[in-house]
Structures are given as C-alpha cells and as structure tokens.
C-alpha cells in the first residue's frame, strides 16, 4: 500500500534518507566546500548540467539539498532552492524573471524590509515595483502592464491580521501570463499552502517560524513547477543561455526549470548561499513545525482575546479573532490558524507604546518574529521607521500600534507580563 505521507510525517522524513556513506539517521552536516569528482568525464558532465551532483557548496551541498527537498515536499512544489536569508530569496525569485525596465506589482501590505527592498533597492537593477491594495482586484488588474513580470504578496501579511485572497490573485496572474509569488513566512506551509491556491513561486524567510528559535537567517524559494516559462515573457528561462553552451532551461528541465536556473545561475553568480550549519538548524526546527504552529496559534488566540476585552486597548488586528474582517478568508486560506503575529493599538497613543515596550519582562523587545519566545516591537519607530507615515498606515503599523509575535510560553504568563507593562505605561 502506498499513500502520500501526511504533513506531520513529511516534516520529519522528507529529504532525509539514512546517510549513504555511514547510515547516520539524522542528516549529517556536510561541512565541506568541495566534492571529489570520479574522473574528468564526471566533472565535465556536472559542469554541463548533464548530470546532477555536487561540485562546490556555493551551488549545492547535501545538507542544504535535504532541506530543499523537505521544503518542496511541505509546500507541494516540484523543487526548491535555499539561500542565505528571506530577502535573498526575494531577489533570487525575481532575478530570472526581471530585467531593466521591467516591473512587478506588489501588495502594499508587506514586511517593512520588503517595502524598502522593492521601493528603493531594486531600482539599482533597473527594476521597479507598483504597490496596490490587493483587496481591490480592479486596481491589481489595472496596475499590470506589458512590462510586468510578477505579482507579489504575503499569504498572512506581516505585521499580521491580514490574509490575502490568493485564489483571486492567482486568477489575475494567470490571465496576464505572469507568476504569482507568495511570501509564506508568517503562515508556514503548515497553515497555508499557496501552490494549492494557484501560486507559482513561494518564498520564505527560514529565519522565522521554520527554524523557530531565533538561531539562523535563511531563505527558500519553492517552485510549483506548473508555470509556462516559454510564453515569450521570460527569455532567461526559455532562450539559449550563453553561459551554458546555449542550454534552454525550460525546454531542458521542464517543471524543474526554475530550480535549476536558480542554482546554476542565481546561486552561482549572486552567491547568496545558505551554509550547511544553518540548514541543519532549520531541518531540526521543521521536525516540530506542526506542533509549534498549533501552540503558537492557540497562544495567540488567548492573548488576542484578552487584549480585545481590555479597556486600555483600542483595537486588535488578528485574523484568528471572530471580529476580524479576514476571519472568513482564514477559513479558506489558512483554516488551521492565523499564525501568531498580530498588532494592537493603545488608546493612550505613541508615548504609551514606547513605555509599554520598556516595561515588559518576559517578552523580548527585538526585530525578529516566529521565535519560541514571545516578542514585542513598536514597528513605527523600528522595523517600519524608513517608511512615510502614509506607508506605515498602509502597512498596518500606525504610530499607536504595537506588534506581537506570540511564542510558546504559557499563555497566562504572557498575558500577566503584558498586563503589568500596560499598567506601568499608564495606558
Ligand atoms: C523576516 C521576513 C523577511 C526577510 O527575511 P530575512 O530572513 O530577515 O531576510 C521577508 N518577509 C517576511 C514576511 C518576513 O517576516
């Protein structure tokens, strides 16, 4: 009898066979930069991409490869490529699609660093981004022009409380022959599987819930393997590649075209490689992903419900609360839960937010999220500081708003810490 293993089985076993050399059950950390070729023909075949194997760890490494296979399995993709950070993954995802004069259309509800990357830094490559409210499907459609090469959004948008209608965006992207790229960092594949909703590429910051305990930075791109890269818009994927003797990636590798291109061109020449030690920590983290995400979500619901009833609090934006306008969409996009990232506002305003942050004891004031530890930050004065006030409000982090990433501690202890800090803040 063969059945497709469940998520809980895949998170432990996908990509991890006993080590062929030693039988080691856990995935070994292959701390090596290079691999001995069998002979000159073997080396030539590897360099020509005629045979798959290991050459040099900037491109591929067995520990990283195990993580790539596990991520592809968990997201239901054809292949995956890991890289050194979530921001690296975004550039790596766009790199084969874009070129000078081309643009992407992006949701305006994004991680603050992504707003900066898309509105400022990518201009140096001659690329540009148009930001739209992805709840306004007519605006999304209108923003796409003949130079658009991708539609980008986050499934559960940082700083939380917002869930994207992935199916609707995928339908628009399909109509225009462009890929939908979904940043699934906040949801993780346990809560949301964007490819099932029509996404072409899924990008992750492994730094967050996937590794899960604030130890490493890493990124990953998963390809659905379903996109027609030969529709005339993506020459880097469909036309002869001069650096590989005229190889055509889409024609040669079919559903693995993006994965091979990302390794053979992206990692080779951009060099944003994930190191095997970081891959090891992430593999360990993913083994318990389902258990952690269930507890993250359950704790977040308890804390959000308590905050919502508190008279010092103005509003709580958490899609896991029945009061959220996105609660219905959650049932369709991420029915197991809305993750543990959300915001709340204080009636007493900006100064009280700053005092609250200074008075927490159990919660940590850090710029990370998706840690076992509960984290708090005042986005307007930190992560979203580079944004104008209008951009801050569009991103859901107005000056009176505090962001929480609820960890795995006992929920009552988290609530008690917030309660005493709210008192001291004079909220
Ligand atoms: C953190 C984060 C990123 C960037 O990831 P890094 O690993 O910090 O580079 C991108 N998108 C989202 C949603 C994030 O939370």
């Amino acid at each position: 009898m063969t059945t497709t293993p469940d998520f809980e089985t895949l998170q432990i076993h996908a990509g991890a066979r006993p080590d062929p050399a030693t039988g080691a059950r856990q995935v070994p950390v292959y701390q090596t930069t290079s691999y001995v070729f069998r002979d000159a023909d073997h080396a030539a075949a590897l360099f020509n991409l005629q045979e798959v194997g290991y050459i040099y760890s900037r491109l591929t490494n067995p520990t990283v490869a195990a993580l790539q296979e596990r991520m592809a399995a968990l997201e239901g993709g054809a292949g995956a490529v890991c890289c050194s950070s979530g921001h690296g993954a975004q550039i790596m995802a766009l790199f084969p699609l874009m070129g000078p004069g081309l643009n992407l259309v992006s949701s305006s509800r994004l991680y603050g660093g992504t707003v900066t990357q898309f509105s400022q830094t990518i201009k140096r490559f001659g690329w540009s981004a148009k930001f739209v409210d992805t709840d306004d499907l007519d605006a999304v459609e209108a923003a796409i022009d003949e130079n658009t090469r991708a539609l980008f959004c986050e499934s559960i948008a940082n700083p939380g409380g917002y869930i994207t209608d992935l199916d609707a965006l995928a339908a628009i992207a399909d109509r225009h022959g462009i890929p939908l790229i979904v940043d699934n960092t906040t949801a993780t594949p346990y809560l949301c599987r964007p490819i099932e909703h029509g996404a072409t590429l899924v990008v992750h910051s492994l730094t967050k819930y996937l590794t899960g305990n604030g130890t490493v930075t890493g990124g990953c791109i998963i390809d659905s393997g379903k996109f027609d890269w030969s529709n005339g818009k993506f020459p880097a994927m469909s036309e002869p590649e001069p650096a590989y003797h005229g190889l055509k990636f889409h024609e040669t590798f079919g559903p693995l075209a993006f994965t091979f291109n990302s390794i053979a061109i992206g990692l080779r020449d951009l060099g944003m490689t994930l190191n095997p030690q970081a891959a090891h920590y992430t593999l360990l983290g993913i083994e318990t992903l389902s258990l952690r995400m269930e507890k993250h979500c359950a704790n977040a619901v308890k804390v959000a419900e308590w905050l919502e009833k508190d008279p010092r609090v103005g509003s709580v934006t958490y899609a896991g609360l029945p009061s959220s306008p996105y609660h219905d969409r959650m049932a369709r996009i991420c029915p197991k839960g809305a993750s543990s990232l959300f915001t709340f506002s204080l009636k007493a305003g900006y100064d009280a937010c700053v005092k609250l942050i200074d008075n927490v004891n159990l919660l940590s004031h850090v710029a990370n999220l998706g840690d076992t530890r509960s984290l708090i930050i005042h986005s307007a004065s930190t992560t979203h500081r580079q944004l104008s006030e209008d951009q801050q409000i569009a991103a859901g982090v107005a000056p009176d708003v505090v962001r929480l990433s609820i960890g795995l501690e006992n929920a009552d202890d988290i609530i008690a810490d917030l309660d005493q800090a709210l008192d001291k803040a004079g909220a």
Side-chain angles (χ1 to χ4, degrees), residues 85-87 90 111 114 154 158 183 185 205 207-208 218 369:
S85 70
H87 267 7
Q90 291 167 193
Y111 176 70
T114 305
E154 297 178 3
N158 193 317
D183 181 339
T185 299
S205 168
T207 317
K208 313 293 171 52
L369 61 97

Side-chain angles (χ1 to χ4, degrees), residues 94-99 102-103 144-150 172-179 227-239 250:
L94 292 171
F95 189 66
L97 320 180
M98 302 290 282
L102 301 179
N103 68 68
I144 296 173
D145 63 30
E146 74 278 10
N147 292 323
T148 303
R149 291 296 179 272
I172 293 175
D174 274 356
R175 263 205 299 288
H176 292 271
I178 57 171
F227 193 80
D228 176 15
W229 300 113
S230 299
N231 69 4
K233 293 189 172 188
F234 303 96
M237 300 291 289
S238 60
E239 297 301 307
H250 193 210

